[in-house]
Amino acid sequence: MARPSLHTAVLDSVGRAITSGDAPPGTPLTLDGIGAQHGVSRTVAREVMRMLEGLGMVRSRRRVGLVVLGIEDWNVLDPRIIRWRLQGPGRDAQLRSLTELRHAVEPLAAAGAARHAGPQVRGELLDLARRMRSTGEAGDLTEFLALDVRMHELLLRSSGNEMFGPLADVVAEVLAGRTHLGLMPASPVPEALDQHEAVARAVADGDPDAAEAAMAAIVGEVRHALARRDGERVGS
Amino acid sequence: MARPSLHTAVLDSVGRAITSGDAPPGTPLTLDGIGAQHGVSRTVAREVMRMLEGLGMVRSRRRVGLVVLGIEDWNVLDPRIIRWRLQGPGRDAQLRSLTELRHAVEPLAAAGAARHAGPQVRGELLDLARRMRSTGEAGDLTEFLALDVRMHELLLRSSGNEMFGPLADVVAEVLAGRTHLGLMPASPVPEALDQHEAVARAVADGDPDAAEAAMAAIVGEVRHALARRDGERVGS
DNA sequence: CATGCCTCATTGGTGGCACCTTTGCCAACA
DNA sequence: TGTTGGCAAAGGTGCCACCAATGAGGCATG
């Protein structure tokens, strides 16, 4: 999948430098500078710069070079920017933003899946819910995470809205980040298992309203948990 | 704003060719072909190609050229792709997808604005709601549209979630497309005016739950209207 | 018919060149 | 001292020629 192209390496390096705040807005870059710093020719630097420009991260001005733009100009929905921000200092804020976005989209995606999903998807959802229960009760967190990710991905991709599909990757990232950060209980709470099963059943039964409600319950709990954490943080 | 760069013109041309289905997935392009077709050098064609690759619209393979990818690989959240799809044959589907996305996000954005908006934003929202009522009752649809767009943009941009801001552009596009397609009544219904005013007041009062509920009511009505239209279409 | 080698089209990457815009400096002048 | 005007350099824009790598398709051989 990842081709060993010079561009990708340089692009990742510069992109991370920008998202990490290492190159704050207003910083002037030059093609020669990028080329020299990474040991690539001007051509490669130019093409990397074009990609960064396409991401809204730099703006090329003559005589001055490539000025780094602020986050308000970035394509913050782009997977690459999301990935870069998830590494580095912005990880926390990015995770919170993604969580909120996820909570906005997933109930509607579940409703859409209840309308549009094919029979084999509905079957897999039921199977996933079953396996989530068994692995969850067994306390196998990593396997549980994989099933959880798969279920949300399946819902987003079969929601009938092609703009929801790309969010599956960020949901996976959020879920992984959440367990990795120790935000998950040692063993999934029974309510979560019930609600995931409810979503799967509602989608399998083709009941959009029930699917939306069940998914809203899932994300609503996480939301409140996050708000609680925010409250603690604010209070400290 | 739009700099007269060669890249932008060529990029727009090729991008539109892909989104319009004029260059269906699997179509092989070549750098020399693009260059010759648009009268630009290989260098420019290469940089355009890099941007398209960044958008997930083509994949460059040696000996074969640039293969056009299917929509499942596109960065469908990217503003450029959205703009291209809004022109051309995909406009209808794109408008529907964007509407659904909007309905997912806007209630949460309103709640966020009630928490995070600054005092001048809250004031402007109240003012906008007032002027929407007067222009709406006067039947000035174009001015009403401008106020409507401004209100939603303000809510999204001051929602405290930097991932919601970029959606302001697409919301503007959706609203404009809706009135332009004649989906709006000749004069805004009183309920819409009331609900917009309710959102503005809730945000001004710092009541997130009320803001979210009021915005959900706004988008919920549009959603049902769309579903009704879909039903008619399916039945025909 | 299968297999393996060969060819060549096309991208990947480099370097150099002319041009143009913009900036920042510096000098001349009020 | 402040303002204006010109001037030179910096750096992106676009073009071209060149070579390396690679992989798809054809050809030859068993």
Side-chain angles (χ1 to χ4, degrees):
Chain A
M1 166 143 188
R3 295 155 318 160
S5 171
L6 280 187
H7 302 101
T8 63
V10 181
L11 179 65
D12 260 38
S13 170
V14 183
R16 252 194 294 268
I18 295 178
T19 55
S20 75
D22 211 10
T27 304
L29 307 173
T30 66
L31 291 179
D32 293 313
I34 293 177
Q37 189 173 348
H38 296 83
V40 296
S41 73
R42 262 172 63 106
T43 308
V44 174
R46 282 169 66 161
E47 292 174 12
V48 167
M49 184 274 286
R50 280 279 179 277
M51 297 199 239
L52 287 171
E53 199 182 31
L55 293 174
M57 300 179 81
V58 303
R59 180 181 180 84
S60 92
R61 295 176 53 192
R62 287 193 164 167
R63 158 76 197 199
V64 94
L66 311 152
V67 295
V68 177
L69 298 179
I71 191 176
E72 66 274 5
D73 288 312
W74 300 354
N75 285 2
V76 286
L77 279 318
D78 189 282
R80 278 162 301 185
I81 295 188
I82 292 177
R83 214 176 315 125
W84 290 330
R85 294 184 65 197
L86 279 176
Q87 310 158 357
R91 176 180 181 84
D92 212 44
Q94 175 71 98
L95 221 43
R96 206 185 326 264
S97 303
L98 287 176
T99 302
E100 198 173 20
L101 178 65
R102 191 191 145 207
H103 296 166
V105 167
E106 290 213 72
L108 273 193
R115 287 194 196 89
H116 304 103
Q120 80 291 351
V121 168
R122 300 177 196 266
E124 184 176 351
L125 285 173
L126 288 176
D127 181 56
L128 281 173
R130 229 181 345 253
R131 287 161 64 195
M132 282 178 76
R133 178 170 298 280
S134 62
T135 62
E137 288 172 348
D140 184 350
L141 272 188
T142 69
E143 176 67 13
F144 182 82
L145 170 64
L147 295 172
D148 199 8
V149 165
R150 174 67 182 151
M151 181 159 177
H152 288 275
E153 176 189 359
L154 213 51
L155 288 170
L156 286 166
R157 291 204 193 280
S158 45
S159 64
N161 188 333
E162 77 278 0
M163 311 203 77
F164 290 171
L167 298 174
D169 296 328
V170 317
V171 167
E173 209 80 51
V174 170
L175 291 177
R178 204 145 51 87
T179 66
H180 195 266
L181 255 64
L183 277 177
M184 291 285 279
S187 170
V189 293
E191 287 83 19
L193 295 175
D194 294 341
Q195 284 154 352
H196 276 80
E197 196 170 5
V199 170
R201 219 167 357 175
V203 172
D205 293 347
D207 186 341
D209 292 333
E212 181 171 350
M215 182 60 87
I218 292 180
V219 299
E221 280 192 4
V222 186
R223 205 165 144 198
H224 289 149
L226 263 195
R228 233 179 297 122
R229 209 178 79 146
D230 284 359
E232 291 170 7
R233 178 162 299 183
V234 168
S236 69
Chain B
M1 166 141 189
R3 295 155 317 159
S5 172
L6 281 187
H7 303 102
T8 64
V10 181
L11 179 65
D12 260 38
S13 170
V14 182
R16 251 193 293 270
I18 294 179
T19 55
S20 74
D22 211 10
T27 305
L29 308 173
T30 67
L31 292 179
D32 291 315
I34 293 177
Q37 190 173 346
H38 296 83
V40 295
S41 73
R42 217 174 84 108
T43 308
V44 174
R46 281 171 67 163
E47 292 176 13
V48 168
M49 183 274 285
R50 281 269 121 71
M51 298 200 241
L52 287 171
E53 199 181 30
L55 292 173
M57 301 179 80
V58 302
R59 179 182 182 85
S60 94
R61 296 174 54 190
R62 283 185 171 169
R63 162 77 195 200
V64 108
L66 308 153
V67 186
V68 177
L69 298 178
I71 191 176
E72 66 274 5
D73 289 311
W74 300 354
N75 286 0
V76 287
L77 280 317
D78 188 282
R80 278 162 301 185
I81 294 188
I82 291 177
R83 214 176 314 125
W84 290 330
R85 293 184 66 197
L86 279 176
Q87 311 157 357
R91 176 180 180 83
D92 212 44
Q94 176 70 98
L95 220 44
R96 205 184 328 263
S97 303
L98 287 177
T99 302
E100 199 173 19
L101 178 64
R102 189 191 146 210
H103 296 165
V105 167
E106 289 212 72
L108 273 194
R115 288 194 195 89
H116 303 104
Q120 80 290 351
V121 168
R122 299 175 197 265
E124 184 176 348
L125 284 173
L126 288 176
D127 181 57
L128 281 172
R130 228 180 346 253
R131 288 162 62 197
M132 280 178 77
R133 178 170 298 280
S134 62
T135 62
E137 288 173 347
D140 185 349
L141 272 190
T142 70
E143 175 67 12
F144 182 82
L145 170 63
L147 295 173
D148 199 7
V149 166
R150 174 67 182 151
M151 180 157 178
H152 288 276
E153 176 190 358
L154 213 51
L155 288 171
L156 285 166
R157 291 204 193 280
S158 46
S159 64
N161 188 332
E162 76 278 359
M163 312 204 76
F164 290 171
L167 298 174
D169 296 329
V170 317
V171 167
E173 209 81 51
V174 170
L175 291 177
R178 205 145 51 87
T179 66
H180 195 265
L181 256 63
L183 277 177
M184 290 284 280
S187 170
V189 293
E191 288 82 17
L193 296 176
D194 294 341
Q195 285 155 352
H196 277 80
E197 197 170 5
V199 170
R201 219 166 357 176
V203 171
D205 293 347
D207 186 343
D209 292 334
E212 181 171 349
M215 181 59 88
I218 293 180
V219 299
E221 280 191 3
V222 186
R223 205 164 144 198
H224 289 149
L226 263 195
R228 233 179 296 121
R229 208 179 77 148
D230 284 358
E232 291 169 5
R233 180 162 298 183
V234 168
S236 70

